[in-house]
Amino acid sequence: MSPEENSSYYHSLMNLATLKVFHDAGIDVSSFQNYIVDINYSIDTCEDIFEEGCRALFTYFEKYSMYEEEEEKYIKELLEKNEKKLVVDETIYVCSSNEMKALANHPKYSEKLAQLCGDILKPIFDIDGFSLQSGEIVLCSYSMGEYQEIAVAVVTINQEVNNLYQQLKGEQ
């Protein structure tokens, strides 16, 4: 097997695993991009599948690239807000939901949300940095097509945010 074939098979399996993560979270993945990757023909849907899953999972999801001039201004502002603590290699993903914003604006739950995100995101190798601000999770990544682990993290965060939000609603 050639290295190109090996890489195509590997990335296809990672895509299938990413699809399964989103499917298990209750998202209909039937309309998502095909999971099959062919390196020889530059067919690589890894990032597309991750983005589609996040768009279905969160009420707000946006991707910013260091290679787009219009987006570079936003990235610079974001780095200034975070006192340049974020490392931006290639891509920034911003995820948010109404529940996340409600938790971030609550004195008791904002700390729990920050702790939750830190516990889940810090150990992930493919995330170069993250930030939680105003109820938005900002992920900096240069993942080279391996989105399955990041997908598990965002699904877990979404589930835990929903659990915390239910606790908050129960207290009100």
Side-chain angles (χ1 to χ4, degrees):
M1 179 183 304
S2 73
E4 291 83 8
E5 288 175 318
N6 186 25
S7 182
S8 293
Y9 282 122
Y10 175 77
H11 284 275
S12 295
L13 288 172
M14 293 303 292
N15 280 350
L16 191 58
T18 303
L19 283 171
K20 180 165 179 7
V21 168
F22 288 122
H23 176 268
D24 290 349
I27 295 170
D28 179 14
V29 297
S30 62
S31 64
F32 281 30
Q33 295 282 326
N34 189 340
Y35 70 91
I36 297 174
V37 173
D38 191 340
I39 300 297
N40 293 318
Y41 295 100
S42 298
I43 299 172
D44 187 355
T45 57
C46 301
E47 189 172 32
D48 297 331
I49 290 171
F50 175 73
E51 288 178 27
E52 287 179 74
C54 287
R55 286 187 202 292
L57 199 61
F58 296 100
T59 52
Y60 177 80
F61 176 81
E62 200 63 51
K63 171 192 166 189
Y64 298 95
S65 172
M66 288 295 288
Y67 303 115
E68 300 293 328
E69 283 186 38
E70 302 101 41
E71 297 173 2
E72 195 174 332
K73 180 182 175 190
Y74 171 80
I75 292 172
K76 286 180 182 176
E77 290 173 6
L78 185 66
L79 290 174
E80 287 173 13
K81 282 183 191 175
N82 286 281
E83 299 170 358
K84 303 191 189 251
K85 292 178 186 170
L86 292 174
V87 176
V88 182
D89 289 325
E90 186 171 283
T91 308
I92 289 181
Y93 300 102
V94 180
C95 317
S96 185
S97 66
N98 296 331
E99 295 82 3
M100 207 177 287
K101 288 183 184 238
L103 292 171
N105 291 325
H106 192 278
K108 177 181 172 185
Y109 285 92
S110 63
E111 274 187 44
K112 288 182 180 184
L113 181 61
Q115 181 69 39
L116 167 78
C117 290
D119 290 348
I120 293 171
L121 294 172
K122 281 181 185 173
I124 297 178
F125 177 73
D126 286 328
I127 295 178
D128 297 322
F130 73 93
S131 163
L132 179 65
Q133 57 190 25
S134 305
E136 294 181 339
I137 298 173
V138 180
L139 303 172
C140 302
S141 178
Y142 184 75
S143 66
M144 301 291 288
E146 297 183 24
Y147 289 91
Q148 186 264 344
E149 189 179 25
I150 302 172
V152 169
V154 296
V155 164
T156 303
I157 287 172
N158 188 59
Q159 291 168 342
E160 292 299 320
V161 161
N162 289 333
N163 291 340
L164 284 174
Y165 184 72
Q166 292 304 317
Q167 289 177 16
L168 174 63
K169 278 179 52 178
E171 291 177 8
Q172 294 177 341

